[in-house]
């Protein structure tokens, strides 16, 4: 795999993470059959459903910032780690997130597997 392919796959995953904050999924290239799974439970049944959730899902509307984004690429899989900062801002709460994205040859997200911890105060 070339560096440019790896970079494109990271960019696809980053677009999804950025949409968690912007609540604008227009820049996220989700395959129509994309699924999202959290802790073994399917929470996104297809690409359009996931996009709608990013834009209007109450679970995502609490997110106001992401920090510490890191990504590693292994073939078609991009594993990300970051903190999501959640409302209310004055409490300074953030939760650790680890997501693995399966990115196809057309740089579309085919699957998302997410794990996250409980929000805690961060400095």
């Amino acid at each position: 795999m070339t560096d440019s392919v790896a970079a494109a796959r990271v960019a696809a995953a980053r677009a999804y993470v950025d949409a968690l904050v912007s609540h604008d999924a227009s820049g996220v290239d989700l395959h129509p059959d994309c699924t999202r799974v959290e802790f073994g439970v399917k929470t996104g049944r297809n690409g359009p459903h996931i996009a709608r959730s990013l834009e209007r899902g109450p679970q995502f509307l609490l997110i106001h910032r992401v920090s510490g984004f890191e990504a590693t690429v292994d073939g078609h899989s991009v594993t990300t780690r970051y903190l999501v900062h959640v409302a209310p801002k004055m409490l300074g709460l953030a939760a650790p997130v680890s997501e693995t994205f399966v990115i196809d040859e057309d740089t579309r997200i085919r699957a998302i597997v997410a794990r996250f911890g409980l929000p805690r105060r961060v400095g």
Side-chain angles (χ1 to χ4, degrees), residues 1-120:
M1 172 181 14
T2 67
D3 288 345
S4 63
V5 169
R9 290 181 180 156
V10 170
R14 183 66 202 226
Y16 176 91
V17 173
D18 288 346
L20 292 171
V21 177
S22 70
H23 312 296
D24 177 4
S26 63
V28 182
D29 198 0
L30 297 161
H31 187 277
D33 296 329
C34 182
T35 57
R36 184 170 194 277
V37 174
E38 295 175 8
F39 296 108
V41 176
K42 186 187 269 188
T43 58
R45 63 181 175 269
N46 57 45
H49 176 249
I50 295 167
R52 280 192 308 276
S53 293
L54 283 169
E55 294 186 346
R56 298 187 297 273
Q59 71 276 29
F60 296 123
L61 294 177
L62 293 172
I63 299 169
H64 63 85
R65 183 167 73 98
V66 168
S67 66
F69 180 86
E70 297 176 1
T72 57
V73 179
D74 183 12
H76 287 276
S77 295
V78 177
T79 299
T80 61
R81 286 182 174 69
Y82 54 93
L83 291 174
V84 290
H85 298 260
V86 295
K89 288 181 185 182
M90 66 185 164
L91 293 180
L93 298 175
V97 176
S98 173
E99 288 184 300
T100 299
F101 298 85
V102 177
I103 314 285
D104 68 15
E105 294 296 327
D106 297 320
T107 321
R108 296 176 300 179
I109 300 171
R110 297 287 307 226
I112 306 163
V113 177
R115 294 180 149 311
F116 47 88
L118 294 174
R120 62 180 185 263

